[in-house]
Amino acid sequence: MQTELESCSRLREHYNRLALLHGYSPQAVSFRCWKTIERRFGVLLEGFESYQGARILDFGCGVGHLYGYLKRQGFKGEYLGLDVSDQMIEVARAEYPDGRFECRNILAEEFTEEFDLAFVSGVFNNLVSDNESFIRSCTRRLFSSVEQGIAFNALSHFVHYRDEGLYYYDPIKVFEFCKTELTPRVALRHDYEIKPGVIPFEFTMYLYKTGHAPVPALQ
């Protein structure tokens, strides 16, 4: 647990700086343009047919980009955005006064609120002290807080180029962890392009609670 807490502390410092520098922009969350952000959101959400009226937890919400995307899709459910960066939360609240955003670390404190769905976008890309432990702790904690399921994305190690400041996961190992330790209902997408013409360099994982998979189980 100590390594996870150290990772959260480093992420807080990193994203506080970015929020102060860039405000409500893609650069605040280390992305270059709106199109790539929205492409990721679309892939995350498409794994759940009933997200429109759901209770949604946005883990690592940054400056509130997912909330804005949801609003543009006509979202009418409940939303909570959590982030360890107080500066990110300040920007999100200023941009969306009607949204609910909180600066909290659910790995370090009790968190009993329940949701239907949880989404994580970009959080696991950051290089921290122990990425493998970090992604497992986060997904385990989030999956225990939802009634339907969670979706998260991460960079894949099936790439030809790697940024030294980012972390690239083996999607097969992540799938195995989710399948054997969290739920038998897991789906992996590794086919989508974030940038047109660029070979897929990330993947999205969907974890479903029993009875909430998008297709009926085989008889």
Side-chain angles (χ1 to χ4, degrees), residues 57-82:
L57 173 61
D58 181 7
F59 180 74
C61 66
V63 293
H65 291 150
L66 177 59
Y67 183 63
Y69 182 84
L70 286 168
K71 286 170 64 71
R72 292 191 292 276
Q73 306 306 309
F75 176 68
K76 300 298 182 182
E78 299 178 20
Y79 169 93
L80 171 62
L82 296 182

Side-chain angles (χ1 to χ4, degrees), residues 55-125:
R55 298 169 298 168
I56 288 180
L57 173 61
D58 181 7
F59 180 74
C61 66
V63 293
H65 291 150
L66 177 59
Y67 183 63
Y69 182 84
L70 286 168
K71 286 170 64 71
R72 292 191 292 276
Q73 306 306 309
F75 176 68
K76 300 298 182 182
E78 299 178 20
Y79 169 93
L80 171 62
L82 296 182
D83 206 282
V84 296
S85 165
D86 55 304
Q87 294 295 331
M88 288 281 181
I89 294 299
E90 184 176 325
V91 173
R93 287 173 174 169
E95 187 70 23
Y96 298 109
D98 63 324
R100 182 184 170 203
F101 300 94
E102 297 181 6
C103 183
R104 297 183 64 177
N105 181 358
I106 64 173
L107 296 181
E109 58 186 276
E110 185 177 3
F111 185 73
T112 58
E113 191 167 350
E114 295 184 352
F115 300 85
D116 296 309
L117 303 168
F119 297 102
V120 189
S121 183
V123 173
F124 301 133
N125 296 356

